[in-house]
Amino acid sequence: MKEMFLLYFTKGEDVKMNHKTFPSTKFDVKALAMNFLPVAQKAAIASYPWIGKGNKNEADGAGTEAMRNQMNDIDMHGVIVIGEGEMDEAPMLYIGEELGTKQGPHLDIAVDPVEGTTLMAKGQDNALTVIAGAERGSLLHAPDMYMKKIAVGPRAKGCIDLNASLTDNMKAVAKAVGKDVSELTVMIQDRDRHKDLIEEVLSLGARIKLFPDVDIPGGIATAIDEIGVDLLVGTGGAPEGVITATALKCLGGDFQAQLVPQDQEEFERCREMGMTDPLKTLTLDDIVKTDQCFFVATGITDGLLLKGVRKKEKGGILSHSFVCFGGEINSYQFIESFHL
């Protein structure tokens, strides 16, 4: 049986964002997110045959094509603001590509059809498909470079300061969540550049939870009590930072960041994308300027947040997805689906 989700929206007054005028639409964020659920599912399932096959390009290509084809059926005026690269770098889901039926709300869309291509190619955990969306003109157009990040869940919202020491942030978070500092769990990517952060956490008697790649699940985990992660810190990809920030906006968490250009060329790239001060400390509201946003993910391989795609013995495929919504809803769902 094919599942169908209905999308409702009403026209409103024009609103000016990012120096362009778009028709404002009051849309049902939850219904819209559910329209994107099969997009993530199909991308994950299309990538599944390439798990552990050592060919990340084929896996990424399969997920990208499936995602784009499905997304074009959604009633929206969607524009990719974070995707597979510039138009001359990617044949589809490139930055600036317009998707959808052109009927419906105007949206910014940030995607990664296979987040963790190397992990997937090696048959390792934590590869997933991710999509973030928000009303047009509201997502930061982050260039593909490093970003310094700190993320926490709802109970520690308003307590973090990217410009303070990790020790000060940990003390503030511990107070907010009602724990001793030594009881905190801090997620950090296992990289040499994070050696000092790791040592600082351990010196306070707290726990570290290291991961090899893909920081989006770790950022989201801070907002889900059952996973047991109190904060995520470190330097990773800027596009992933925007996607994580969108999810945390939906979940009521908090996120701060700062772009880290490696040279003058990257610095100028930030300027070209409209950032007058590329080194500015970015708050959650700087990165996601609206509550009308959503996040959808489907696991490809098992991971911190989601189970991977699984084939059933008697036929069919199981997928495991995570969906969260902003607006007046601020909730999330884990969804397990059976596909013929």
Side-chain angles (χ1 to χ4, degrees):
M1 177 180 291
K2 182 179 180 181
E3 293 182 347
M4 297 183 65
F5 299 97
L6 299 179
L7 170 64
Y8 300 95
F9 63 94
T10 57
K11 293 183 178 179
E13 298 297 322
D14 280 1
V15 60
K16 209 166 189 177
M17 295 185 206
N18 283 4
H19 310 295
K20 293 184 180 180
T21 301
F22 305 103
S24 176
T25 55
K26 181 67 175 177
F27 52 85
D28 184 332
V29 178
K30 181 176 180 179
L32 182 60
M34 287 303 187
N35 275 267
F36 278 84
L37 175 60
V39 178
Q41 291 171 333
K42 285 184 180 295
I45 291 169
S47 304
Y48 168 78
W50 297 98
I51 295 174
K53 297 294 182 67
N55 194 330
K56 63 181 185 180
N57 292 332
E58 291 291 342
D60 193 52
T64 298
E65 184 173 2
M67 176 177 282
R68 182 177 184 267
N69 290 341
Q70 186 73 20
M71 207 179 292
N72 270 325
D73 291 336
I74 297 176
D75 285 337
M76 65 169 178
H77 289 250
V79 174
I80 299 293
V81 297
I82 291 173
E84 294 293 278
E86 301 291 345
M87 186 186 299
D88 58 353
E89 298 172 351
M92 57 186 76
L93 297 183
Y94 56 81
I95 297 170
E97 182 176 12
E98 298 185 11
L99 298 170
T101 65
K102 310 301 187 294
Q103 300 293 320
H106 290 247
L107 301 176
D108 283 348
I109 302 172
V111 301
D112 195 335
V114 182
E115 173 69 354
T117 52
T118 300
L119 294 175
M120 182 181 168
K122 293 180 178 179
Q124 295 177 330
D125 290 350
N126 243 25
L128 69 167
T129 291
V130 294
I131 305 169
E135 60 183 324
R136 182 77 61 82
S138 56
L139 291 185
L140 178 72
H141 294 201
D144 190 5
M145 63 177 60
Y146 280 125
M147 174 185 270
K148 184 180 177 183
K149 316 169 189 181
I150 182 168
V152 292
R155 289 193 295 165
K157 184 176 177 62
C159 297
I160 55 173
D161 180 359
L162 190 69
N163 297 310
S165 68
L166 177 54
T167 296
D168 287 344
N169 275 295
M170 289 175 63
K171 289 179 178 178
V173 170
K175 182 178 180 181
V177 301
K179 294 182 179 180
D180 186 83
V181 173
S182 64
E183 296 177 297
L184 295 179
T185 298
V186 183
M187 285 208 74
I188 306 174
Q189 190 175 16
D190 193 3
R191 293 288 189 272
D192 288 342
R193 63 178 178 270
H194 295 145
K195 180 181 177 182
D196 290 344
L197 294 177
I198 293 169
E199 290 178 351
E200 191 169 354
V201 172
L202 294 176
S203 72
L204 294 170
R207 300 181 184 89
I208 54 170
K209 191 173 182 67
L210 301 180
F211 61 97
D213 206 356
V214 183
D215 59 10
I216 293 174
I220 295 171
T222 64
I224 300 174
D225 289 342
E226 292 79 6
I227 297 179
V229 174
D230 297 292
L231 66 162
L232 175 139
V233 295
T235 301
E240 292 84 354
V242 175
I243 293 171
T244 302
T246 306
L248 286 172
K249 187 93 174 209
C250 298
L251 295 166
D254 207 355
F255 186 90
Q256 289 187 13
Q258 182 185 43
L259 292 169
V260 187
Q262 299 296 294
D263 50 38
Q264 188 62 31
E265 182 179 350
E266 287 195 352
F267 188 87
E268 292 303 324
R269 174 72 175 134
C270 296
R271 291 280 183 87
E272 290 170 5
M273 296 185 76
M275 301 171 200
T276 55
D277 181 8
L279 301 181
K280 174 186 176 181
T281 299
L282 302 166
T283 66
L284 182 57
D285 289 338
D286 290 325
I287 300 168
V288 187
K289 299 180 179 68
T290 180
D291 291 329
Q292 293 285 100
C293 56
F294 62 88
F295 171 85
V296 181
T298 298
I300 301 174
T301 59
D302 290 345
L304 179 72
L305 185 68
L306 293 163
K307 292 179 285 188
V309 175
R310 302 180 303 288
K311 275 194 171 182
K312 300 290 286 182
E313 289 183 8
K314 296 183 180 180
I317 291 176
L318 281 177
S319 68
H320 192 215
S321 303
F322 177 83
V323 183
C324 56
F325 336 96
E328 299 175 357
I329 305 170
N330 280 117
S331 65
Y332 66 86
Q333 297 178 8
F334 285 97
I335 300 170
E336 191 164 60
S337 304
F338 177 77
H339 311 266
L340 292 174

